[in-house]
Amino acid sequence: MAIKDMPREELLLPGNAACPGCPASVALRVILKALGENTVLTIPACCTAVIQSLYPKTSFKIPVLNMAFETAAVSASGIKAGLRMQGKDDVNVVAWAGDGGTYDIGLQALSGALERGTDFIYICYNNEMYSNTGVQRSGATPYGASTTTSWSGKTEHRKDLMGIVRAHNIPYAATACVAYPEDLYNKVKKAMSMRGPKFIEILAPCPPGWHFDMSKTIEVGRNAVQAGAWALYEVENGKTTFNGPSKAILEKKVPLKPIEDWIRDQGRFKQLFKPKRDEARIAELQAQMERDWDKYRRIVAGECAEL
Ligand SMILES: Cc1ncc(C[n+]2csc(CCOP(=O)(O)OP(=O)(O)O)c2C)c(N)n1
Ligand code: SF4
Ligand SMILES: [Mg+2]
């Protein structure tokens, strides 16, 4: 679906509390165009809990539940059960949570809902940190990135969340990025067409947390995908397909770029370049990216069941 053909109606209203250039609001606009009004969102503590504005006003034109940090998936299960009892099985139930609420504190609730087969869509907007509370590290923060709890750069690599999700054998799991709205829209539409648990993770470059100019959110997201630092793919009933620029990288039609192309313009990585270039840590980031792509190729080739 081309952007010009997407529904014109906005279900996330302007004048909300998002920062300028906020990736969460960009992604929400797109996903709500795909989902339409027949949707209930459940949102745990995260930036979007603020974006939805202060009571009694709201920036959403659909019902939204503001839930506790760890409860995105379990609240979705409850909403779905309640709607089913009312004969409203056609309502889209969507959990929308940050990476902290997904990779970390909400992980067991997510696992439970996936295992129970809850018929819902879980969407994680991944800005790779706990941004709402002042940019602390999360399980999604990349190696070498600075946060307020990893000042000199995180010393661990990010968690393989898609691998964990995939291990639940759900009908549909996909990655996306705010810089590719058509791809995101199509993935939400595909998720809506299936029954059972569906999971979508969106890379969401955050200007204040990653330290880049607010006008560059889309550019930074595009750089992530084109450099190979973030892969676009979907896992449909166990079959993995790569999309957009990631397909060309997977098939080696386009080479992986130096990781520097991705990290150079983000202040959160400046300690890798100043006061002097940290060759070891830049090389480790590059090596991890190459390990990820080796794994993707083995998965697609059917040699490895894990993602
Ligand atoms: C049990 C609990 N612990 C801590 C908090 C404080 N808290 C609210 S939002 C948040 C960070 C959320 O991070 P993430 O899920 O990545 O969303 P983002 O803020 O990045 O949008 C934290 C730690 C809380 N609300 N509840
Ligand atoms: S901190 Fe980042 S994710 Fe949160 S509202 Fe601002 S731009 Fe959006
Ligand atoms: Mg976050």
Side-chain angles (χ1 to χ4, degrees):
M1 166 79 72
I3 290 182
K4 68 179 176 47
D5 298 323
M6 289 181 194
R8 301 201 77 80
E9 192 186 7
E10 301 289 351
L11 297 179
L12 175 65
L13 302 172
N16 59 57
C19 305
C22 174
S25 55
V26 174
L28 275 165
R29 282 181 66 195
V30 174
I31 68 139
L32 291 175
K33 284 176 186 290
L35 290 164
E37 277 187 339
N38 194 28
T39 301
V40 175
L41 276 188
T42 175
I43 299 179
C46 61
C47 278
T48 312
V50 179
I51 292 170
Q52 67 180 289
S53 311
L54 294 176
Y55 183 83
K57 296 186 176 168
T58 175
S59 56
F60 286 97
K61 276 180 83 179
I62 54 166
V64 177
L65 269 81
N66 200 331
M67 299 300 292
F69 196 13
E70 57 277 62
T71 66
V74 70
S75 60
S77 285
I79 294 164
K80 189 72 200 180
L83 288 168
R84 183 169 295 141
M85 289 305 288
Q86 294 176 44
K88 296 177 182 167
D89 216 14
D90 62 328
V91 177
N92 305 308
V93 175
V94 179
W96 168 270
D99 50 297
T102 306
Y103 279 66
D104 299 335
I105 194 166
L107 187 61
Q108 71 83 14
L110 171 62
S111 174
L114 300 186
E115 185 271 332
R116 283 191 303 275
T118 298
D119 182 24
F120 79 131
I121 307 176
Y122 190 109
I123 304 180
C124 169
Y125 69 100
N126 179 5
N127 54 22
E128 301 189 327
M129 64 203 176
Y130 292 29
S131 66
N132 182 42
T133 39
V135 187
Q136 292 84 25
R137 86 189 268 295
S138 79
T141 306
Y143 175 87
S146 171
T147 67
T148 52
T149 49
S150 59
W151 275 106
S152 53
K154 194 181 164 196
T155 50
E156 302 80 24
H157 286 286
R158 63 188 177 202
K159 200 183 279 186
D160 180 7
L161 180 71
M162 283 296 280
I164 297 169
V165 168
R166 186 183 169 118
H168 290 76
N169 297 317
I170 60 172
Y172 187 71
T175 59
C177 174
V178 290
Y180 296 85
E182 294 97 340
D183 180 68
L184 172 60
Y185 183 95
N186 291 339
K187 284 170 174 168
V188 174
K189 280 289 186 197
K190 190 178 280 187
M192 289 167 69
S193 73
M194 296 176 162
R195 286 193 73 84
K198 285 83 56 177
F199 179 88
I200 299 174
E201 180 178 6
I202 307 169
L203 184 69
C206 165
W210 295 19
H211 301 285
F212 62 81
D213 189 85
M214 64 179 107
S215 65
K216 296 198 183 306
T217 303
I218 301 302
E219 189 178 317
V220 172
R222 202 181 296 131
N223 285 348
V225 173
Q226 291 183 354
W230 185 256
L232 301 178
Y233 60 91
E234 51 194 340
V235 187
E236 205 174 332
N237 295 313
K239 184 173 167 23
T240 306
T241 313
F242 280 69
N243 322 108
S246 303
K247 185 171 188 298
I249 295 174
L250 185 91
E251 293 169 354
K252 298 192 175 172
K253 291 179 179 153
V254 172
L256 273 181
K257 290 190 180 169
I259 191 79
E260 277 190 67
D261 285 15
W262 153 237
I263 61 177
R264 205 171 23 223
D265 297 331
Q266 299 170 45
R268 65 178 176 156
F269 288 109
K270 72 174 185 305
Q271 63 284 355
L272 302 191
F273 298 96
K274 288 179 185 165
K276 66 180 177 55
R277 232 181 114 81
D278 189 332
E279 298 293 354
R281 284 201 287 177
I282 294 171
E284 177 52 33
L285 264 175
Q286 181 78 29
Q288 180 57 41
M289 183 166 78
E290 288 169 11
R291 286 193 291 271
D292 285 343
W293 283 95
D294 285 346
K295 186 165 66 174
Y296 297 149
R297 292 191 184 104
R298 280 186 281 119
I299 289 162
V300 170
E303 293 168 17
C304 170
E306 292 158 23
L307 189 58

